[in-house]
Amino acid sequence: MTKWLAKAKAADTRMALIIYYLFALLDVYFVMFLFPPKGVKTAVQQTLINSDSTGLHIFTGATAIIGGVVTLVVGLFITVYLEFILYYIVLTITKTQANPTTNKLIKRGLYISYGISGVVDAIITMGTVLLKVPLTSTPYFIVSGCFDTVVTYGLIYGFIKYLAKQPKQATWFASIGVVLNIGYLIVRAII
């Protein structure tokens, strides 16, 4: 794994993102159409009952899929760039200069890390839905959030340490990221 982390190429990024989007779309389809939550199911049924139009049925499905795709693309882009800002904060803390080559490698590592953790998260979500555990339950939220945090920041740590060859920054970045994510999970579980 260390060798792969150290030699990740642009093709690996494309592959990770394609797999991420496929699994995420499967997850959206799975949750929205095969096993929808009660609120979604009730809202869609009410809409369909109030209209006999087949076009509305197609429109409702297409809207859910398009909304899911837009959310995935925009969400991944925003997440990676927020993490990239965190990386610059870490560079400031460690008094390290940024350079374009390293920045490119960091972005690659962030995209691949979020792609892989997104696939893992989609599999966990589909398994949870099959087990009929509500996706809004606090235990599910905490367990999946902690697992996702460990996978994501473990991968990011590896990419920064082995691909960008910055072990000090990798430790700082992963530590701050884990603390922020666990803090978010705790606050969200309380509220």
Side-chain angles (χ1 to χ4, degrees), residues 97-127:
Q97 281 291 343
N99 69 51
T101 306
T102 305
N103 290 348
K104 185 177 175 182
L105 295 175
I106 296 299
K107 285 181 194 171
R108 179 177 297 155
L110 290 172
Y111 274 113
I112 294 172
S113 298
Y114 276 99
I116 292 170
S117 71
V119 168
V120 171
D121 189 48
I123 291 169
I124 289 171
T125 301
M126 288 185 274

Side-chain angles (χ1 to χ4, degrees), residues 87 91 95-99 102 166:
Y87 173 71
L91 289 180
K95 295 178 175 84
T96 307
Q97 281 291 343
N99 69 51
T102 305
Q166 296 181 325

Side-chain angles (χ1 to χ4, degrees), residues 54-95:
T54 304
L56 186 61
H57 296 215
I58 294 168
F59 178 74
T60 303
T63 302
I65 291 173
I66 291 169
V69 170
V70 170
T71 302
L72 290 170
V73 172
V74 172
L76 182 64
F77 180 78
I78 289 171
T79 301
V80 166
Y81 278 88
L82 287 175
E83 293 288 346
F84 199 66
I85 291 169
L86 177 61
Y87 173 71
Y88 267 90
I89 292 169
V90 167
L91 289 180
T92 304
I93 292 170
T94 60
K95 295 178 175 84

Side-chain angles (χ1 to χ4, degrees), residues 29 32-33 44 47-49 51-67:
Y29 178 76
M32 291 300 292
F33 297 108
V44 170
T47 304
L48 297 177
I49 289 171
S51 173
D52 294 331
S53 171
T54 304
L56 186 61
H57 296 215
I58 294 168
F59 178 74
T60 303
T63 302
I65 291 173
I66 291 169

